Amino acid sequence: MIHLQRLWHGSLADSTDFPAIAKREQFDTSADMAARRHRRSAGADRWHTSQSRINRIGPCAALLLVLGFAAPVLARQDLPLSLPPSGVPGVGETELIADFWVKGAADRHTVLLAGDAIRVRNRQLLEQDPSMHALADMPAQLQAAQVRQWIEARSPRPAGALFDINGKPVSAVDLDAWMAALALDRIPASQATRFGLTLKRSALRSFPTARRVFSEAGETDIDRFQESALFPGTPVVIAHTSRDGKWLFVVSPRYAAWTLADAVAEGDRDVVLSYPERSPYRVITGDEVRTVNSREQPALSQLDLDMGVRIPLALDVAADQPVNGQTSYSSWVLELPLRGADGQLAFAPALLQKNRDSAVDYLPLTRANLIRQAFRFLGERYGWGHAYNGRDCSGFVSEVYQSMGLTLPRNTSDQAVSPVFPHQRFDAASSDDDRRRAVANLDVGDLVYIPGHVMMVIGQAHGRHYVIHDVSGISYRQPDGSRRRIKLNAVSVTPLEPLMFNDNERYIDRMTSIVRPWGILP
């Protein structure tokens, strides 16, 4: 997902052409697999080098060393790709099966980053990444300057044209009303820091309004006021209230924006911050998991629980007693937050069926699990900022990694440069050979970034590297030299190398970063 503020001043070139292609028809030959295993084992031990060495050898060469590049065996791209009726090159039914890629992955069950190391990485992310917010370190009093800074960073007055759902231009009167709704004049000079828990999957918005706006007349998918989403049990700092009192400006660990007031319950600081750390718990590992239907507790009935969400178990419920009108012996009894009539935090039990996808702890971070978790979303509709009960490209990769306990920043622009993850950066000075070598050394789980988009590598087939990504569309050159565009608007599998960013540049030409979230820093 692109940071919203960039979009007020013009969209990225051909941003709607971001691709999503397919999978492959047969396994690699044993020679191909052996070569790939050799490359991966050689690269894994040389993933990073010291910063002093990087400074001595220059940026481009340093980037190759950072990713552990030796002399790579470049993927063959002279092999023709099949073109199925879908128009997605190189993807047949076989390539749409997760196990096809799992079986082709070297060391597929090797733990790439253990639980203790993941917890250290998550702490480093909060401490070192400027896009993150360490709520436990918030001062007892919030000063007006800090609150104003948060709000003005998220809610600048849009400079470009906007259109409503009917294609009509958004008026200056509307813009004035939204700016007034921020109630900046009501920010107190100093206020006690308030904490709360998110009650349900709820939108994070640029402005305190549910009105959807678009950058072009006729566009109805990408709502430019949709920023992200919060999930049940997410702790937040409540920094401000909209003029009408219906919206709160909240600061979560990964994002700060406006959300509906009835989606948050205010509570004691220690109770709020300890909730995500309570044990025992269940981790949601499926793509669509909900609590059971409950007439007795409607606020917790059919509650959406997204992949990677961790919910503590209720410990004071007798096994032979009903919960919300039904037996609990075939379900997990979760303890979920509720909002009282006074807006204050309370808790109540809710049932999660044991046959739904959850685990006693985060999944091991292995290549096999990365592939399988990503494929759970295959075919889901693209949802900018987690709209349509879906997710966007950065939200997609975040949830895959979160199911293994590893937290990523929210947006592509922050993920691509986070100081806590090994990454290789590219710019105008990066040569074609630099880029080709980097692609040749991609491993399962690597994240490839182009402006405004991210893809996750799942393996090689047909002489190409394949990725899975949540994408609006792709384009590629046809044999006659023309450029074909395919609308996808879904989590899709595609080869990387053929994809075009615009008429003259490939995705590879526009790569800005390759990140290996499970890589080891020196």
Side-chain angles (χ1 to χ4, degrees):
M1 181 179 179
I2 312 165
H3 189 282
L4 180 66
Q5 202 164 354
R6 296 178 61 186
L7 293 163
W8 299 144
H9 305 286
S11 58
L12 295 167
D14 284 349
S15 61
T16 56
D17 288 337
F18 291 144
I21 308 183
K23 305 176 182 177
R24 70 188 192 191
E25 316 256 341
Q26 58 186 18
F27 293 114
D28 292 331
T29 66
S30 58
D32 289 337
M33 294 178 69
R36 186 172 69 249
R37 288 193 185 99
H38 173 74
R39 291 198 302 274
R40 285 172 176 159
S41 61
D45 295 333
R46 294 187 299 275
W47 174 250
H48 241 288
T49 187
S50 69
Q51 187 63 47
S52 59
R53 187 179 180 194
I54 290 174
N55 291 338
R56 289 199 303 272
I57 63 179
C60 291
L63 293 176
L64 296 178
L65 286 170
V66 164
L67 288 182
F69 289 167
V73 179
L74 299 179
R76 289 184 62 194
Q77 296 186 39
D78 55 339
L79 301 175
L81 289 176
S82 61
L83 190 62
S86 68
V88 179
V91 179
E93 292 300 318
T94 301
E95 289 85 5
L96 296 177
I97 300 171
D99 277 351
F100 171 74
W101 300 99
V102 170
K103 291 175 182 177
D107 303 319
R108 55 186 176 268
H109 298 304
T110 297
V111 175
L112 303 172
L113 201 62
D116 288 344
I118 288 174
R119 286 185 284 275
V120 169
R121 183 69 55 85
N122 289 343
R123 286 198 300 270
Q124 292 172 335
L125 185 69
L126 280 176
E127 294 166 358
Q128 301 176 26
D129 193 304
S131 72
M132 302 292 290
H133 307 101
L135 302 192
D137 296 336
M138 290 286 179
Q141 294 284 319
L142 287 179
Q143 303 305 309
Q146 175 63 83
V147 175
R148 179 179 286 271
Q149 179 184 336
W150 283 330
I151 296 174
E152 290 181 340
R154 184 62 61 223
S155 311
R157 186 184 181 91
L162 293 173
F163 302 85
D164 66 16
I165 191 71
N166 298 312
K168 296 180 179 179
V170 171
S171 69
V173 172
D174 289 326
L175 296 180
D176 291 341
W178 292 328
M179 295 303 295
L182 304 179
L184 298 179
D185 57 311
R186 294 185 180 179
I187 300 175
S190 179
Q191 59 177 308
T193 303
R194 301 153 57 202
F195 292 84
L197 282 178
T198 308
L199 308 177
K200 57 187 176 182
R201 194 186 209 268
S202 50
L204 284 171
R205 306 282 292 170
S206 310
F207 289 88
T209 177
R211 186 169 170 187
R212 303 174 70 222
V213 300
F214 309 91
S215 57
E216 296 179 1
E219 164 65 40
T220 58
D221 263 344
I222 299 181
D223 174 3
R224 298 306 186 183
F225 283 179
Q226 180 72 16
E227 291 282 344
S228 188
L230 294 171
F231 304 134
T234 301
V236 298
V237 163
I238 302 169
H240 192 46
T241 304
S242 64
R243 195 170 298 278
D244 63 7
K246 296 180 179 179
W247 296 80
L248 299 175
F249 190 90
V250 298
V251 180
S252 76
R254 298 173 66 222
Y255 217 72
W258 295 92
T259 196
L260 284 167
D262 64 6
V264 177
E266 184 175 350
D268 175 79
R269 174 191 183 277
D270 293 341
V271 172
V272 167
L273 296 183
S274 65
Y275 179 81
E277 305 301 324
R278 286 169 48 184
S279 293
Y281 54 86
R282 300 298 294 180
V283 173
I284 304 304
T285 58
D287 58 318
E288 287 191 10
V289 176
R290 297 181 179 88
T291 58
V292 301
N293 190 290
S294 171
R295 291 186 297 106
E296 293 80 3
Q297 195 62 268
L300 303 181
S301 177
Q302 294 284 282
L303 193 69
D304 288 315
L305 301 173
D306 286 75
M307 181 182 287
V309 168
R310 168 178 161 168
I311 303 292
L313 296 177
L315 301 180
D316 57 353
V317 177
D320 62 347
Q321 295 300 307
V323 173
N324 299 331
Q326 76 172 74
T327 179
S328 65
Y329 88 97
S330 58
S331 298
W332 302 108
V333 184
L334 307 180
E335 184 156 287
L336 285 162
L338 280 175
R339 177 183 170 96
D342 58 356
Q344 294 301 298
L345 178 63
F347 295 96
L351 298 181
L352 174 66
Q353 293 167 244
K354 289 184 176 179
N355 60 3
R356 297 297 184 258
D357 293 318
S358 74
V360 68
D361 202 353
Y362 294 106
L363 300 174
L365 206 172
T366 66
R367 293 181 179 89
N369 280 338
L370 285 167
I371 293 169
R372 290 197 173 107
Q373 289 303 100
F375 269 73
R376 287 177 178 272
F377 292 113
L378 184 66
E380 179 186 77
R381 185 183 176 108
Y382 177 86
W384 172 269
H386 280 80
Y388 308 118
N389 214 30
R391 58 224 84 234
D392 53 30
C393 61
S394 52
F396 163 64
V397 299
S398 292
E399 290 188 34
V400 169
Y401 269 99
Q402 191 62 52
S403 69
M404 283 154 262
L406 187 62
T407 301
L408 302 181
R410 174 60 186 90
N411 284 341
T412 56
S413 57
D414 298 313
Q415 291 176 1
V417 299
S418 179
V420 304
F421 300 113
H423 59 273
Q424 177 180 5
R425 306 242 345 237
F426 302 91
D427 56 25
S430 303
S431 70
D432 185 61
D433 282 345
D434 290 339
R435 295 172 181 274
R436 291 175 67 239
R437 289 190 183 95
V439 170
N441 282 275
L442 289 171
D443 200 348
V444 172
D446 285 354
L447 303 178
V448 180
Y449 294 84
I450 62 174
H453 189 55
V454 59
M455 304 157 274
M456 192 184 91
V457 176
I458 56 173
Q460 291 186 45
H462 313 310
R464 276 78 167 180
H465 293 82
Y466 277 67
V467 292
I468 187 168
H469 47 149
D470 209 342
V471 66
S472 57
I474 60 168
S475 68
Y476 53 88
R477 291 284 180 212
Q478 300 187 99
D480 64 1
S482 62
R483 181 178 167 207
R484 183 178 181 184
R485 295 172 173 83
I486 302 293
K487 185 177 180 65
L488 296 171
N489 217 25
V491 176
S492 308
V493 173
T494 72
L496 172 62
E497 285 86 347
L499 301 183
M500 299 296 294
F501 185 84
N502 54 37
D503 280 337
N504 302 310
E505 296 173 299
R506 304 165 299 168
Y507 270 30
I508 292 172
D509 300 323
R510 294 301 303 269
M511 285 191 311
T512 60
S513 181
I514 296 174
V515 174
R516 183 164 293 172
W518 49 265
I520 304 300
L521 289 165

